[in-house]
Amino acid sequence: MDREYEIAVVGGGPAGLAAALYAARATRRTLLLERKAPGGQIALTGAVENYPGFPDGINGFDLAVQMHDQAGKYGTETRYADVTAIRRDGLLFQLSTEEGEIRARSVILTGGAEYNRLGVPGEERLTGRGVSYCATCDAAFFRGADVIVVGGGDAALDEGLFVTRYAHKVHIIHRRDTFRASGILQARVFANPQIDVTWDTIVTEIRGDQSVTGVRLRNLTSGEETERAVSAVFVFIGQHPNTDWLTGIVSLDRGGHIPVNLWMETGVPGLYAAGDIRGESARQVASAAGDGATAAIRADHYLSDTFAQRLPQAEVTPSA
């Protein structure tokens, strides 16, 4: 596996797949490294309705497969391996995986972020079937329904207000007796007749067969357990970017995200970050794809300015 590439893309979500496509179409020897399956979060999404070009929506897994196939058509190589370390060796980057070392002239980090989970029965099984971590993506599926929003920070209240555009009733469940969110968001929530708040309470189970039908709740003060019928559970208790392994190679902000400029450049020449892993990301499929395209374009320019000779690209599948 010890081979040199011009562009290595670490992470196979929308940002990584778009970066690989643009890098390969620029005839750069491109390697996509993904530890699981291509698609990231969208591979777990039942329907994506806000990605341009699909007016009737598209299954998230199908979209991921199509994006991966398109990148492969133009010469992207894919390896399913977990990258555990990265270091600079002269002008090259050295990537460590369980299958060996990889050398790359430039690297685009697109490892994304993981939403913090409740860790309760039914959550994993019903993700994409009423359990959601993105109101912008999924609220429109629940027009006229009763739903739950879990959390008490800015994201929970902001997304909860967004859900009221579609849902009949939004029940905010918070484990404390006060919100951590900004005052203006709290004022908007308390003034909205579609929202009610349940304090000092946690979700202990999400119920449903093919889709969410209800939740089980426990009051942390009294210990009382109740059930509530709802059609969706929106979880906003934070997220953590997949950057733990990058300590020492690139700077991170307080949330663990990678600061970049408008070209997705980090402070290290030849190293880029795109999608949810970077700071101030919109966390949408369309914006992640745009980030990946931008990073690949900039990496192509960097390679032209830095290296006198190009590496031969993998053979490209001819168009029909």
Side-chain angles (χ1 to χ4, degrees), residues 136-247:
T136 306
C137 309
D138 298 327
F141 294 115
F142 302 99
R143 293 180 184 272
D146 281 17
V147 306
I148 275 180
V149 169
V150 183
D154 282 353
L157 270 59
D158 192 35
E159 298 289 313
L161 287 163
F162 181 86
V163 177
T164 62
R165 301 182 190 184
Y166 303 96
H168 167 69
K169 194 73 176 179
V170 175
H171 308 279
I172 296 182
I173 308 297
H174 187 41
R175 65 183 301 123
R176 298 181 177 86
D177 60 0
T178 57
F179 287 133
R180 303 185 310 278
S182 62
I184 189 169
L185 285 176
Q186 293 191 45
R188 290 173 183 171
V189 162
F190 294 137
N192 193 312
Q194 290 175 257
I195 297 177
D196 65 47
V197 181
T198 301
W199 304 106
D200 299 313
T201 299
I202 61 172
V203 176
T204 59
E205 182 182 0
I206 301 174
R207 295 185 168 178
D209 185 11
Q210 298 302 314
S211 62
V212 171
T213 58
V215 295
R216 189 166 184 82
L217 306 172
R218 183 171 74 241
N219 184 284
L220 296 175
T221 301
S222 67
E224 180 186 6
E225 295 199 2
T226 58
E227 295 182 11
R228 182 171 295 175
V230 293
S231 299
V233 179
F234 291 91
V235 181
F236 301 106
I237 55 174
Q239 64 160 225
H240 54 280
N242 297 315
T243 55
D244 293 345
W245 62 283
L246 293 170
T247 302

Side-chain angles (χ1 to χ4, degrees), residues 61 115 124-125 150 154 203 209 236 253 266 271 308:
F61 179 78
Y115 294 107
E124 292 296 328
R125 180 173 55 83
V150 183
D154 282 353
V203 176
D209 185 11
F236 301 106
D253 65 20
T266 70
L271 185 64

Side-chain angles (χ1 to χ4, degrees), residues 9-23 32 39-42 51 67 71 108-112 264 273-278 281 284-296:
V9 181
V10 183
L17 293 170
L21 170 63
Y22 271 74
L32 177 69
Q41 296 288 345
I42 64 166
Y51 190 73
M67 295 176 76
I108 303 175
L109 301 169
T110 60
M264 306 300 139
D276 291 3
I277 201 171
R278 75 171 178 90
S281 169
Q284 298 296 304
V285 179
S287 60
D291 282 0
T294 298

Side-chain angles (χ1 to χ4, degrees), residues 39-62:
Q41 296 288 345
I42 64 166
L44 303 176
T45 303
V48 178
E49 293 193 329
N50 56 0
Y51 190 73
F54 297 93
D56 297 321
I58 182 173
N59 178 273
F61 179 78
D62 292 341

Side-chain angles (χ1 to χ4, degrees), residues 1-12 16-17 19-21 23-24 27-34 68 71-72 74-81 83 93 95-97 99-110 311-314:
M1 196 172 177
D2 189 359
R3 186 183 180 195
E4 184 177 331
Y5 294 85
E6 292 184 287
I7 298 178
V9 181
V10 183
L17 293 170
L21 170 63
T27 65
R28 296 293 182 179
R29 182 186 288 177
T30 303
L31 176 66
L32 177 69
L33 288 156
E34 168 57 44
H68 182 250
Y74 289 99
T76 297
E77 297 179 41
T78 299
R79 299 266 194 251
Y80 294 101
V83 180
F93 292 93
L95 302 172
S96 299
T97 78
E99 298 181 12
E101 298 293 307
I102 297 167
R103 300 187 306 276
R105 295 181 175 185
S106 64
V107 174
I108 303 175
L109 301 169
T110 60
L311 297 175
Q313 189 195 30

